[in-house]
Amino acid sequence: MTAPDATSPAATSAPATSWRDGLAVYLQPRVLIVLFLGFSSGLPLALSGSTLLVWMREAGVDLKTIGLFALVGTPYTLKFLWAPLVDALHVPLFTRAFGRRRGWLLFSQLLLIIAILLLAMTDPARSPFYVALGALLVATTSSTQDIVVDAFRVESLPESEQAAGMAAYVAAYRIGMLVSTAGALFIVSGFEGTGIPRSSAWMWGYVVMAAMVLIGTITALAATEPGQSVRAEAATQTETAFARVLHAAIGAFSEFLSRKDALAALAFVVLFKFTDAFSGTMTAPFVIDLGFTRNDYAAIVKGVGLAATLIGGFAGGFLARRYSLATSLWIGGVVQALANLTFSWLAVVGTNQWALALAICAENFTSAIGTVIFVAYLSALCQNPLHTATQYALLTALAAVGRTYLSSGAGFVADMTGWPMFFVICVLVAIPSLILLAWLQKRGHFEALGPVRV
């Protein structure tokens, strides 16, 4: 299966077009709808992740507890369990008024706004349990929105616009993440600068983030129901809800598990980005502990880091076009692991903004290379169009296992070893994925997937 470029729509099988035609596709209404939905999908992730960790560290929460908060990402890991429900079931009132996909979009966004507001009302210093509960609700509603947006994107765009839609989606997703990290931190600092107490400033910062979800809500209202969704609804209207869910779930899982070396491939999906996840869990506390300010974190880690990520995405696309999928995975896996050594160097250098910028650029650039190639691999695994949405939900959920469960002990490791040695360990945790990569390559796994282009 051909995977669309996460950073450029150039790699398609269509004949070459002029640059005007290439730009015009981004102005198509369907692509613009996908772009704004990408922003809505990227916005909530940091609110239960890195931004929340900064809030907790400033509130005096210890590193061990912060590390355990990686577990609130559990819904991103388990979302494949309810992906068939989103495919098959109707939301009362919403589905009838707006359609199968748009109904779920609006319903999940309404729940997401409520969850973010509930999280805003908590106090990390006094009630970490309620913070965890609020963050879990945000992650659950956010991952549900992701399921719907993925299905909407695939069903609403024709083949000629899929690559452009994916590129727009990824770019907007990154911008959404930037808004909920650097943007949120600047907003909190702004509220604090007006004399509002720090705890209240964080609350109002999260209220503003909840209001940002309305961008996706307005987009869903302006969109039209995908034609494929309408036809699928008509084709299954005689089936019971239980039968629709059963067919969607069993078909997707049984087809995937019947393949050769399926379990090894799933283990590789879990472990490939683990080196990033293990270090990423502690990046925010690390930067704060070194003595950098909240604004340093916002401007350098999230601002400069975004530019490095976008450039790394182009570099990953170039590598994937030039080399085979297996070779590209080797390059991405090695460089994203070695980049952690720049943080060990930064821990020795101390509070130096140029050193922080260099380390962040190296980490984000190499991480983006690995991510683009990894997305190509995940897309290649979803070869049956009847089960693409559910299978992709399963694979992305498994990829989140490293970020959610395996990374939960990162705080304990950092506390025991200190920052320089911690990031050396982050390099070493990449070794199991590289061993699996070598084994799968030897077994002919990548040849069986056929040619893959990003």
Side-chain angles (χ1 to χ4, degrees):
M1 178 177 176
T2 301
D5 193 339
T7 56
S8 171
T12 67
S13 58
T17 57
S18 69
W19 65 269
R20 291 180 184 274
D21 293 334
L23 291 177
V25 70
Y26 289 98
L27 300 179
Q28 294 295 320
R30 292 178 295 261
V31 175
L32 292 175
I33 290 293
V34 168
L35 183 146
F36 286 109
L37 290 178
F39 175 87
S40 186
S41 288
L43 183 74
L45 184 62
L47 298 180
S48 60
S50 60
T51 300
L52 179 62
L53 299 186
V54 174
W55 183 8
M56 294 179 67
R57 192 56 174 165
E58 287 191 352
V61 180
D62 62 89
L63 286 178
K64 295 178 181 178
T65 302
I66 289 176
L68 289 174
F69 260 71
L71 295 173
V72 302
T74 295
Y76 292 104
T77 306
L78 299 180
K79 65 181 181 180
F80 69 92
L81 293 178
W82 66 90
L85 300 180
V86 174
D87 263 335
L89 298 183
H90 299 161
V91 182
L93 300 180
F94 284 84
T95 299
R96 175 173 294 182
F98 303 105
R100 178 166 164 255
R101 295 304 186 195
R102 292 171 66 230
W104 267 104
L105 266 176
L106 292 165
F107 179 64
S108 63
Q109 288 162 354
L110 175 62
L111 294 180
L112 179 58
I113 291 172
I114 295 172
I116 295 173
L117 291 176
L118 289 175
L119 180 56
M121 304 302 171
T122 61
D123 185 346
R126 296 182 179 180
S127 54
F129 171 79
Y130 290 109
V131 175
L133 182 60
L136 187 63
L137 290 174
V138 171
T140 301
T141 52
S142 172
S143 58
T144 302
Q145 180 189 225
D146 289 346
I147 294 170
V148 188
V149 170
D150 284 337
F152 184 92
R153 183 184 70 243
V154 172
E155 293 175 354
S156 64
L157 295 176
E159 184 65 28
S160 60
E161 296 175 5
Q162 283 287 345
M166 187 63 180
Y169 174 84
V170 171
Y173 190 99
R174 294 288 184 180
I175 293 172
M177 290 182 63
L178 180 63
V179 168
S180 62
T181 49
L185 297 181
F186 280 126
I187 289 171
V188 171
S189 296
F191 280 126
E192 208 173 355
T194 63
I196 296 176
R198 175 172 291 181
S199 59
S200 297
W202 275 106
M203 181 196 72
W204 285 111
Y206 267 68
V207 170
V208 173
M209 292 299 105
M212 289 284 186
V213 178
L214 292 174
I215 293 175
T217 304
I218 295 171
T219 302
L221 289 171
T224 56
E225 185 71 4
Q228 291 187 39
S229 176
V230 174
R231 290 190 292 273
E233 179 71 12
T236 59
Q237 62 182 353
T238 58
E239 295 183 352
T240 64
F242 178 77
R244 292 199 303 268
V245 172
L246 195 64
H247 292 161
I250 294 178
F253 299 145
S254 62
E255 190 275 335
F256 190 93
L257 293 175
S258 65
R259 301 178 190 177
K260 177 185 176 184
D261 301 323
L263 295 180
L266 294 178
F268 178 69
V269 167
V270 171
L271 294 175
F272 183 75
K273 297 295 291 182
F274 178 42
T275 180
D276 269 357
F278 199 70
S279 62
T281 300
M282 289 289 107
T283 298
F286 167 62
V287 172
I288 298 299
D289 278 4
L290 281 188
F292 292 100
T293 67
R294 186 194 305 140
N295 287 348
D296 288 333
Y297 179 84
I300 298 176
V301 176
K302 297 304 178 181
V304 176
L306 175 64
T309 296
L310 295 177
I311 296 171
F314 280 104
F318 171 79
L319 288 173
R321 285 190 292 268
R322 183 174 180 85
Y323 301 106
S324 68
L325 180 58
T327 301
S328 299
L329 285 168
W330 273 108
I331 296 172
V334 170
V335 298
Q336 69 182 7
L338 293 178
N340 287 305
L341 295 177
T342 61
F343 286 117
S344 294
W345 167 73
L346 177 61
V348 175
V349 171
T351 310
N352 182 299
Q353 291 184 337
W354 287 105
L356 175 61
L358 180 62
I360 289 299
C361 284
E363 193 276 335
N364 284 25
F365 177 78
T366 56
S367 176
I369 291 176
T371 297
V372 168
I373 297 168
F374 187 54
V375 167
Y377 174 64
L378 294 183
S379 300
L381 291 175
C382 301
Q383 296 181 341
N384 190 328
L386 295 175
H387 312 304
T388 299
T390 302
Q391 287 181 347
Y392 198 81
L394 168 65
L395 294 174
T396 54
L398 286 174
V401 167
R403 183 178 71 241
T404 304
Y405 295 112
L406 302 182
S407 303
S408 61
F412 291 92
V413 176
D415 189 57
M416 288 187 298
T417 64
W419 292 120
M421 183 54 64
F422 170 74
F423 289 107
V424 172
I425 294 173
C426 291
V427 178
L428 299 179
V429 300
I431 293 176
S433 69
L434 298 179
I435 292 174
L436 272 173
L437 175 58
W439 191 82
L440 288 169
Q441 189 174 12
K442 184 178 180 181
R443 295 273 295 176
H445 171 72
F446 299 100
E447 288 79 0
L449 295 178
V452 177
R453 182 171 64 249
V454 179

